[in-house]
């Protein structure tokens, strides 16, 4: 009786103090909150409760909601943006080795890059492999060249060193070749060759097609499971440092079911600081359909939660259609069988395609499927396709297919100009045309083998069209505004995993994924956008990264 009475009083007190019950957990005030809502509204302040945004408005409006337990963050005029979402980042693969690889991303000179190897030789276990798996290009170095074998040996005389450039070249030190038992060209994966200099002398590097380099990389020792888990949490924090709170992961080469286990552990342990929507790639040439059927039998589309979600198939559906401009009828038929099966199950598809000249082959298959099973609401997408024609974009629009665009021209622009001429390069990639036609554009990087994962590098490139060497190749017709580029990286990218209703903008009811920036993205000189970082990153209102004034 007495207990009931007390309970009633407590209930009455709670009911009588609705303000306390509703006061936000966190408010951010005195800032420039770039909401990326449909009007691109700017606000001063934002309130967060239960992981979601409850109010946006003026500092005065938001401040008065604060209760005694509310955490008040003074932005001191700083800019807040929605957490960035990379719609095509090979994050799962990059994460596995993030704690055991050496990273050349953003190194301004070869001297700096070699210094990173020297540092790693000191900090890693004695004799450990030092592996640079990609993400760099000679144009980023002021020396404008690749490292020599002698330079690598000089900075790490007691470690095997392996440095890969894109998917066509890898330098090994003698200790590395010895450890892999490579004594002659016959020991290389098929298609691999020893590189020779102008005088016919071996340089120590291996060249060859993508297959040869992937197979060579596969010979390297893999990090153990604990290292993979450590690498995953560290890679996600690194993305948080750069304001990234979400990725759409397109699988990729060399990725087996085992490679997902570190990610799954981090998710089970509640340690995810980046939301991941992942798709699966066919891995065994010829039996992709059976393989994908078996892998997804108990994996319905959309399965998962807001931190980790299954998002269909791609970027490689079959080996035969991967980077193949001239697939045979039977290649195309097998591909059709798989994507039709996926459409029947409501799966998103994301498909890697390089050149517009051959994309008709892919679009014809998608159109055929669409006549039998409508795909308009399934969020299918094409990745890359940097020279997309108006006609291809119109066909994509008619099918409801989105386009994930990466800053490939930041590293590869000069090569594109060489192959296709400066006039063609002026419209690459035609994001303004795509937006005008109504194709959803998501932004991203394609990191980490072929590019840097830094979204601010990509945002700067969207806006100035300049390569890493500073050469402007894109024209103003296809240069988006800062607002549009940010839209691509937030609302645009969110679309590809059906998430534009829950994140991608800072609006009431949406998840409180945001970043407080070190510089004002909307007003700093364009050439400084690439240097912006986050000072404070939140995922669902929880601080996942804090630096400088917020440390
Ligand atoms: Zn790709």
């Amino acid at each position: 009786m007495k207990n009931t009475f007390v309970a009633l009083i407590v209930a009455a007190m709670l009911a009588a103090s609705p303000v306390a019950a509703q006061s936000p957990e966190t408010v951010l005030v005195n800032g420039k909150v770039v909401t990326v809502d449909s009007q691109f509204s700017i606000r001063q302040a934002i309130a967060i409760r239960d992981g979601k945004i409850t109010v946006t408005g003026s500092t005065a409006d938001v401040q008065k909601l604060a209760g005694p337990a509310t955490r008040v963050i003074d932005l001191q005029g700083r800019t807040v943006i929605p957490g960035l979402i990379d719609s095509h980042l090979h994050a799962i693969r990059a994460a596995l080795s993030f704690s055991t690889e050496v990273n050349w991303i953003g190194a301004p000179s070869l001297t700096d890059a070699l210094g990173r190897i020297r540092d790693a030789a000191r900090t890693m276990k004695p004799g450990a492999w030092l592996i640079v798996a990609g993400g760099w290009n000679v144009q980023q170095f002021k020396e404008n060249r690749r490292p020599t074998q002698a330079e690598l040996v000089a900075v790490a005389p007691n470690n095997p060193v392996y440095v890969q450039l894109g998917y066509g070249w890898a330098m090994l030190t003698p200790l590395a070749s010895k450890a892999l038992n490579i004594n002659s060209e016959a020991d290389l994966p098929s298609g691999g060759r020893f590189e020779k200099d102008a005088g016919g002398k071996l340089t120590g590097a291996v060249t060859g097609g993508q297959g040869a380099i992937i197979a060579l990389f596969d010979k390297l020792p893999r990090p153990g499971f604990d290292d993979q888990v450590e690498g995953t949490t560290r890679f996600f924090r690194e993305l948080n440092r750069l304001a990234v709170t979400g990725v759409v992961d397109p699988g990729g080469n060399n990725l087996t079911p085992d490679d997902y286990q570190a990610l799954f552990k981090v998710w089970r342990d509640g340690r995810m600081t980046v939301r991941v929507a992942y798709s699966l790639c066919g891995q065994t040439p010829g039996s992709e359909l059976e393989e994908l059927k078996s892998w997804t039998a108990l994996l319905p589309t959309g399965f998962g939660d807001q931190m980790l979600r299954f998002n269909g198939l791609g970027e490689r559906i079959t080996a035969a259609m991967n980077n193949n401009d001239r697939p045979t009828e039977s290649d195309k038929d097998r591909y059709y069988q798989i994507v039709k099966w996926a459409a029947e199950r409501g799966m998103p598809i994301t498909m890697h395609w390089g050149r517009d000249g051959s994309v008709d082959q892919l679009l014809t298959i998608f159109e055929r499927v669409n006549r039998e099973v409508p795909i308009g609401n399934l969020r299918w997408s094409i990745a890359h396709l940097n020279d997309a024609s108006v006609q291809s974009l119109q066909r994509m629009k008619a099918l409801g297919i989105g386009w994930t665009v990466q800053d490939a021209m930041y590293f590869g622009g000069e090569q594109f100009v060489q192959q296709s001429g400066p006039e063609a390069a002026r419209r690459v990639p035609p994001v303004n045309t795509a937006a005008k036609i109504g194709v959803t554009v998501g932004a991203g990087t394609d990191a980490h083998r072929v590019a840097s994962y830094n979204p601010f590098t990509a945002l700067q490139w969207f806006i100035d069209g300049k390569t890493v060497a500073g050469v402007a190749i894109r024209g103003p017709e296809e240069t988006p505004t800062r607002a549009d580029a940010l839209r691509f990286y937030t609302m645009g990218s969110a679309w590809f995993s059906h998430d534009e209703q829950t994140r991608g903008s800072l609006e009431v009811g949406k998840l409180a994924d945001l970043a407080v920036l070190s510089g004002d993205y909307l007003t700093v000189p364009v050439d400084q956008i690439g240097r912006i970082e986050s000072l404070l990153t939140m995922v669902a209102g929880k601080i996942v990264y804090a630096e400088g004034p917020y440390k």
Side-chain angles (χ1 to χ4, degrees), residues 88 90 315 352 383-384 446:
H88 192 93
H90 297 279
E315 64 174 336
H352 162 117
H384 321 317
D446 203 11

Side-chain angles (χ1 to χ4, degrees), residues 332-397:
K332 287 193 273 188
D333 193 60
R334 269 224 312 279
Y335 186 95
Y336 157 79
Q337 303 291 345
I338 296 178
V339 293
K340 186 183 174 214
W341 166 80
E344 287 164 350
R345 276 147 194 83
M347 286 184 190
I349 294 275
T350 188
M351 181 61 190
H352 162 117
W353 204 272
R355 294 180 47 245
D356 190 73
S358 58
V359 78
D360 169 62
Q361 319 234 31
L362 179 69
L363 289 170
T364 301
I365 297 173
F366 286 172
E367 283 159 355
R368 178 180 171 195
V369 172
N370 186 54
R371 284 192 294 273
E372 295 157 4
V373 188
I375 62 169
N377 297 322
L378 301 186
R379 308 292 164 98
W380 286 19
S381 61
I382 297 178
H384 321 317
L385 200 69
N386 288 302
D387 62 343
S389 64
V390 169
Q391 197 197 11
S392 300
L393 291 167
Q394 284 167 341
R395 289 170 76 183
M396 287 165 67
K397 166 66 180 166

Side-chain angles (χ1 to χ4, degrees), residues 185-193 207-216 219:
E185 233 170 40
D187 299 325
L188 293 174
S190 70
R193 284 193 315 278
T207 62
Q210 183 167 334
I213 300 298
I214 289 171
L216 181 65
K219 286 172 164 283

Side-chain angles (χ1 to χ4, degrees), residues 533-551:
E533 297 173 357
S534 178
L535 297 175
L536 180 79
T537 307
M538 288 183 162
V539 172
K542 258 177 51 194
I543 295 174
V544 292
Y545 177 80
E547 192 45 68
Y550 303 111
K551 200 158 183 170

